[in-house]
Amino acid sequence: MSYGINEKDIESVLNFLKQTDPENATPEMAIEVLEHLQKTFHDLSHTNPEQLLKIYEELKRTKKTKN
């Protein structure tokens, strides 16, 4: 199963950009950010799987504290 960029994710990143970098808050930039994150994640899985595991473990800890 692969991730596909969707409108909800674009809108979320666009809202983030509006708060942090209003001059560059465009749907096109939001898509570029999502594509960059996707590529970075993919590259990390090949170049530094230990770091990817740390990110995953942090996610699990965060989810546990929210519940």
Side-chain angles (χ1 to χ4, degrees), residues 35-57:
E35 289 173 342
H36 176 75
L37 289 172
Q38 187 175 24
K39 181 184 180 320
T40 301
F41 183 85
H42 177 80
D43 291 347
L44 193 59
S45 71
H46 295 287
T47 61
N48 194 346
E50 296 83 17
Q51 182 63 33
L52 190 56
L53 182 58
K54 286 180 186 178
I55 293 168
Y56 175 64
E57 292 299 328

Side-chain angles (χ1 to χ4, degrees), residues 17-66:
L17 290 172
K18 286 176 183 177
Q19 295 173 20
T20 59
D21 189 14
E23 291 181 19
N24 292 300
T26 64
E28 294 79 17
M29 180 57 77
I31 292 168
E32 285 187 47
V33 168
L34 289 166
E35 289 173 342
H36 176 75
L37 289 172
Q38 187 175 24
K39 181 184 180 320
T40 301
F41 183 85
H42 177 80
D43 291 347
L44 193 59
S45 71
H46 295 287
T47 61
N48 194 346
E50 296 83 17
Q51 182 63 33
L52 190 56
L53 182 58
K54 286 180 186 178
I55 293 168
Y56 175 64
E57 292 299 328
E58 179 62 29
L59 173 65
K60 287 193 322 185
R61 279 192 298 277
T62 301
K63 289 186 74 63
K64 283 182 183 177
T65 60
K66 287 183 180 179

Side-chain angles (χ1 to χ4, degrees), residues 8-24:
K8 182 178 183 256
D9 294 338
I10 294 169
E11 190 61 34
S12 294
V13 174
L14 187 55
N15 287 334
F16 170 78
L17 290 172
K18 286 176 183 177
Q19 295 173 20
T20 59
D21 189 14
E23 291 181 19
N24 292 300

